[in-house]
Structures are given as C-alpha cells and as structure tokens.
Amino acid sequence: MTPDTGSPGRGSASSAHGDTAAPASRATGPSAKEAGPPGHGPSAPDRAAAGTGDERGGGHRTHRKWSARRVTSAVVAAVILVAAVAALVDVIAVRAGRPAAAWRRHLADELATRPVDDVWMLTGAAVAAALGVWLIILALTPGQRRWLPMRSPADCPRLRAFLDRDGAADLLRDAAMRVPGVSAAHVRVRRHRIRARADVRFRDARQVRDDLTAVLDEERDRLALARPPRVVVRVRRRPD
C-alpha cells in the first residue's frame, strides 16, 4: 500500500512538471521576496521605512540626550551663594548694632537716587534680562547637540543609544569616497540635514551626484537614526 500511495505522488509531480513549472515559479516569486532567504534580514531602506512607519504609527520615539549642565549650575550656584552670604553677614552685623557695609549703602543710594531711564539702570536691566532668558533656554532645551539619537529596538523600547555627529560624518565621508569619480569629499551632519560637497575628477558630474546621493542615503539608513536627516549633495568639477 505504501508504494502505491508514493508512486502517484512522484508520478503526478513528474507529469505536472512541464505544465505547472512556470505558474508555480510565478506564484512563489512574491512569497519568496516577502519572506527573504533564511538568515538574512531586510535591507537598510526596508528597515528605515519600517522604523519610520512604527514611529508614525505611535511606536516608541527616542528623544535627545539631556545635558547635566554641571558648569552652568555650578557657576549660578556659586554666584547666588556668595551674594546670599554677603547679604546675610551684613544684615546680622546691622542687627548687632554695627553700621551697614559700604557696598550696601552705596548700592542703596544709587538705586534710590538714579532715575529709571538712566543709562546704567537700563544696561543693568538688559544684562539681567539676558541672563534670565539664557538660564530659561538652558533649562528648557536638552543640549548635547553633538549626539544624534538612534532608533530603539521594538522589543526593548527603553534601550537608548546615541551617535556622535563627527563619527557619523566620517562614516558618510568614507562612503562618499568609494563613489567612482569623487576625489575629495566633505560631509557635515546636522539635526535635519546632511550636507555633502564632493570634487569630481572624471565622469559626468550629474551622474556622480546621483550615485553619491544614493550611496549617502543608503549609508544614512544604516546608521539607524531616530530622525534620519535629509541628504543634500553638491558636486563641483576639479580639472586634473
């Protein structure tokens, strides 16, 4: 019974080989493309598109790294501490029956006698306002502009990683130098834009620019940045 059941299967496969080979290949082509070969993941553009879709669809969003602002905090704390200690010591001395310090009497007289529209009053107010605005900006902005946030894995959204801008620029420059026709390249990475300038020694400048744009787009996607910047390429002809 076993040979009888096995034979028709082999016979049907061999007999249908010539009639259904092409349709089967056409039917399995899209599925093989979707699944991909075992052990190989999606390409870089596919991963970038998937990451962008996850973020737009409400996935985890990696934020910028916040700076501790240790130097600014130490300077502000030191200035406030010195002023508070000096004022407290003078107040205690006055309460003990001693005369007020000379700097305090001079400051009180100047504030009481100078008009509001005086040049020194306006200058002091402008400096104080500028310092206040500066401190507010430091408090509300994350800083660390030299670090670019990278995409977090879907299975571990709390994992955070950052890439240095200079390192990203070096990687993009190395990729640009591999383009045929490029003799020199300079890349600057910003938050929203990647500017690349290249010198062309041979080949058509437009073709080199198209190839360079494609290579930089692919290399940018490999960096797995949370917000991939836009690539702007400029080429110029350099005679031999």
Side-chain angles (χ1 to χ4, degrees):
M1 296 299 292
T2 305
D4 295 338
T5 56
S7 300
R10 289 192 298 269
S12 60
S14 60
S15 61
H17 177 73
D19 298 334
T20 62
S25 62
R26 289 194 299 268
T28 56
S31 61
K33 182 179 180 180
E34 294 175 0
H40 294 76
S43 61
D46 295 338
R47 290 195 302 269
T52 306
D54 292 341
E55 291 182 359
R56 292 178 180 177
H60 179 71
R61 181 180 180 182
T62 304
H63 297 279
R64 288 175 57 189
K65 184 178 180 180
W66 279 78
S67 174
R69 316 263 191 207
R70 294 185 178 88
V71 177
T72 305
S73 302
V75 171
V76 174
V79 171
I80 294 176
L81 179 63
V82 171
V85 169
L88 181 61
V89 170
D90 189 64
V91 169
I92 293 175
V94 172
R95 293 293 184 180
R98 297 179 181 179
W103 65 269
R104 186 181 175 190
R105 294 196 304 269
H106 179 72
L107 180 61
D109 293 339
E110 290 293 333
L111 293 177
T113 57
R114 286 184 180 271
V116 180
D117 57 350
D118 185 74
V119 176
W120 290 105
M121 296 290 289
L122 296 178
T123 303
V127 172
L131 290 176
V133 171
W134 178 58
L135 293 176
I136 292 175
I137 292 175
L138 291 181
L140 298 180
T141 55
Q144 297 288 350
R145 300 181 63 88
R146 61 188 298 264
W147 296 102
L148 299 174
M150 304 179 66
R151 288 197 303 268
S152 299
D155 55 347
C156 187
R158 300 186 63 182
L159 179 63
R160 302 175 62 189
F162 302 88
L163 180 63
D164 182 55
R165 289 189 181 183
D166 295 336
D170 292 339
L171 293 175
L172 293 171
R173 180 184 177 277
D174 293 341
M177 292 299 298
R178 292 193 294 266
V179 176
V182 176
S183 60
H186 179 71
V187 179
R188 298 184 64 182
V189 179
R190 293 293 180 262
R191 287 183 58 193
H192 304 289
R193 186 172 300 178
I194 298 175
R195 295 183 179 271
R197 298 196 307 267
D199 296 339
V200 180
R201 292 289 185 179
F202 59 93
R203 296 180 65 198
D204 182 66
R206 293 183 179 179
Q207 186 176 1
V208 172
R209 183 181 59 184
D210 295 341
D211 295 344
L212 184 58
T213 303
V215 169
L216 292 180
D217 285 339
E218 182 179 358
E219 188 67 22
R220 176 205 57 189
D221 295 336
R222 290 179 180 176
L223 298 179
L225 298 178
R227 303 172 186 85
R230 185 170 63 92
V231 177
V232 178
V233 178
R234 293 182 180 179
V235 298
R236 55 184 177 180
R237 172 69 63 178
R238 284 286 182 168
D240 296 334

